[in-house]
Amino acid sequence: KYKYLSNFLEMPIVAAIFLTGVVAVLFGIIYPFLKKAKPSWSFWISGLGTVFVVFSLLLVAGYNNTAYYPSTYNLQHSLTIENSCSSYFTLSVMSVVSLFIPFVLLYIHWAWKKLTQKKINIEEVAENENSY
């Protein structure tokens, strides 16, 4: 009972990352309505907050023998990261693939920047027969 709460209390750095992420997501959502900030700025703040929240939840579920899918029939049969991964090979492949995440985030940043470089105007929309 209260395993995730006890994990947050035992790992204060993870709790701080989680709370920072939640505040960043809420700030990214609420701030543009209050101060008329640029939408792209709040998008990146809330996106970074989402990464922090998901990362901290994965750490909380992965450490301290925490069951992410508890069994109601027998608690010893609950799924943890340790007993749900099939082999060392699977963990190795997952570790290597996770190293690509920064490159994916950099690609998203680059593509977003390229897409927002030239703003579309109303004349371009009126001239295009495919616009709705």
Side-chain angles (χ1 to χ4, degrees):
K1 197 171 185 180
Y2 303 115
K3 179 65 174 165
Y4 288 105
L5 177 62
S6 66
N7 281 353
F8 274 130
L9 294 175
E10 290 175 11
M11 299 182 287
I13 294 173
V14 176
I17 292 171
F18 177 76
L19 292 175
T20 302
V22 168
V23 168
V25 168
L26 293 175
F27 184 77
I29 292 170
I30 295 170
Y31 188 74
F33 294 111
L34 299 177
K35 295 290 184 181
K36 301 290 183 194
K38 291 173 61 175
S40 64
W41 180 81
S42 61
F43 170 79
W44 289 107
I45 294 295
S46 60
L48 185 64
T50 303
V51 170
F52 282 0
V53 168
V54 171
F55 179 67
S56 63
L57 290 177
L58 287 173
L59 289 177
V60 166
Y63 285 130
N64 293 340
N65 202 22
T66 304
Y68 62 85
Y69 192 72
S71 172
T72 56
Y73 177 70
N74 185 355
L75 283 179
Q76 301 305 318
H77 292 108
S78 298
L79 286 180
T80 63
I81 297 234
E82 184 179 5
N83 67 10
S84 64
C85 294
S86 59
S87 66
Y88 178 76
F89 175 74
T90 305
L91 289 174
S92 301
V93 170
M94 287 169 41
S95 298
V96 171
V97 169
S98 69
L99 294 175
F100 291 116
I101 291 173
F103 297 108
V104 171
L105 292 174
L106 285 172
Y107 173 74
I108 291 170
H109 175 68
W110 175 79
W112 184 275
K113 200 170 182 179
K114 288 293 182 184
L115 285 172
T116 57
Q117 252 179 353
K118 183 180 181 285
K119 303 287 183 194
I120 192 167
N121 57 25
I122 195 70
E123 290 84 21
E124 288 178 311
V125 174
E127 292 172 2
N128 189 352
E129 66 272 358
N130 293 326
S131 63
Y132 297 104

